[in-house]
Amino acid sequence: MKSTTKTNSSVKKINVESCEQPCLIERGMRVLGGKWKASILWHLKDGPVRFNELSRMLGGASKKMVDQRLKELEAQGLVTREVISDRPIAVAYDITDFGRTALDILERLKEWTEDNNI
Amino acid sequence: MKSTTKTNSSVKKINVESCEQPCLIERGMRVLGGKWKASILWHLKDGPVRFNELSRMLGGASKKMVDQRLKELEAQGLVTREVISDRPIAVAYDITDFGRTALDILERLKEWTEDNNI
DNA sequence: TATAGTGGTTACTAAAAGTATACTAGTTGC
DNA sequence: GCAACTAGTATACTTTTAGTAACCACTATA
């Protein structure tokens, strides 16, 4: 890896390779970092949850917010939406296998937050 | 606060305990999840970087953005600001030991993003 | 003297995020 | 019938965030 230091006197300080990494971090954050998105995912880890129950779990996030985030997560393939009853409409949201691959990151984030009293 | 759990047969479905977890995730995200924050931290992992260099590394994030995020990160103890030269003003930002504890999460996020072509 | 670099600040605008309320349409229970 | 529940949608609104551009004081170079 080329360092930003001492190749010669006129070395540019910008290391282009280093610019590749942040994009990955930023892109990942766009998927997991929105408000409530990580929390929603986290709440689904123990099995499907219904819409209103999920809203309550999130401590009063508005329906609009929960709805928007769920749609984003669904579009990105992290959660699924299933109508479990038609007449008295009932819908269950579940985490996909792909969604589960992100739980490891969230687990670490949770531990980090916990350990550092954030 | 009255609990919603099992006082009798008409137990509500809401599990109050489960509501503790998302807060940890949400709180952690408030620290690492802002736009550019994780990227800034990531860029400092190989050593101190100067203000303008950092701006360029972030691919054109405005000075105002970089400045704001750096101030937040500094206030939260994740990075330090050091004036390394006075006359031709020069400032270096560095990651703290505490900041480094978050790199593990970012590393996983980066891998996850990479592996899933996000 | 002019230009470009350092590390910012300030003022402003545009866009996104979030809140609040009311509404649909159906079901269940009193 | 009336209220309360289900899962949303629609509308209007406020707040927050993001981003642009200009500017400051200073230095260094041509």
Side-chain angles (χ1 to χ4, degrees):
Chain A
M1 129 181 359
K2 103 177 37 146
S3 139
T4 54
T5 52
K6 58 172 157 224
T7 35
N8 59 43
S9 56
S10 68
V11 63
K12 285 292 263 185
K13 296 214 187 80
I14 306 168
N15 179 355
V16 177
E17 277 119 303
S18 72
C19 294
E20 302 303 316
Q21 304 304 57
C23 304
L24 287 169
I25 302 268
E26 264 330 282
R27 288 209 301 271
M29 275 295 180
R30 293 298 147 263
V31 177
L32 300 177
K35 195 164 185 182
W36 304 119
K37 286 179 90 176
S39 295
I40 288 173
L41 227 44
W42 188 254
H43 270 115
L44 298 180
K45 78 184 201 308
D46 299 321
V49 180
R50 294 176 59 178
F51 183 84
N52 280 341
E53 196 179 345
L54 196 53
S55 291
R56 285 189 294 262
M57 281 173 162
L58 295 173
S62 70
K63 288 178 161 200
K64 186 188 162 193
M65 276 300 100
V66 180
D67 190 53
Q68 280 181 0
R69 297 305 143 230
L70 279 170
K71 275 179 178 153
E72 282 178 30
L73 289 167
E74 199 192 350
Q76 290 162 329
L78 292 150
V79 311
T80 52
R81 177 185 183 274
E82 192 195 353
V83 177
I84 54 175
S85 168
D86 206 33
R87 259 12 147 281
I89 180 94
V91 178
Y93 290 90
D94 202 357
I95 188 169
T96 63
D97 288 339
F98 172 42
R100 283 195 185 279
T101 63
L103 288 180
D104 167 53
I105 299 165
L106 301 187
E107 179 71 38
R108 301 213 161 227
L109 177 63
K110 191 195 122 226
E111 278 165 17
W112 182 77
T113 311
E114 221 161 15
D115 293 347
N116 296 288
N117 296 307
I118 288 164
Chain B
M1 173 191 298
K2 81 184 57 152
S3 163
T4 55
T5 52
K6 56 171 146 223
T7 39
N8 57 41
S9 58
S10 67
V11 59
K12 291 288 264 186
K13 295 212 189 79
I14 306 167
N15 179 356
V16 176
E17 278 117 302
S18 72
C19 293
E20 301 303 316
Q21 305 303 56
C23 303
L24 287 168
I25 303 270
E26 266 328 283
R27 288 209 302 271
M29 275 296 181
R30 293 299 147 266
V31 176
L32 300 178
K35 196 165 183 181
W36 304 120
K37 287 179 89 175
S39 295
I40 288 174
L41 226 45
W42 188 253
H43 269 116
L44 297 180
K45 77 183 202 308
D46 298 322
V49 181
R50 294 176 58 178
F51 182 83
N52 281 340
E53 194 179 345
L54 196 54
S55 292
R56 285 187 295 261
M57 281 172 163
L58 295 173
S62 70
K63 288 177 162 201
K64 184 191 160 193
M65 276 300 100
V66 180
D67 189 53
Q68 281 182 358
R69 298 305 142 230
L70 279 170
K71 276 180 179 156
E72 282 178 30
L73 289 167
E74 199 192 350
Q76 291 163 328
L78 293 149
V79 311
T80 53
R81 178 186 183 273
E82 193 194 355
V83 176
I84 54 175
S85 167
D86 206 35
R87 259 9 149 281
I89 180 94
V91 179
Y93 289 90
D94 202 358
I95 188 169
T96 63
D97 288 339
F98 171 42
R100 284 196 185 278
T101 63
L103 288 179
D104 167 54
I105 300 165
L106 301 187
E107 179 72 39
R108 301 218 161 220
L109 177 62
K110 192 196 119 221
E111 279 164 16
W112 183 77
T113 312
E114 220 161 13
D115 294 347
N116 296 287
N117 296 305
I118 289 164

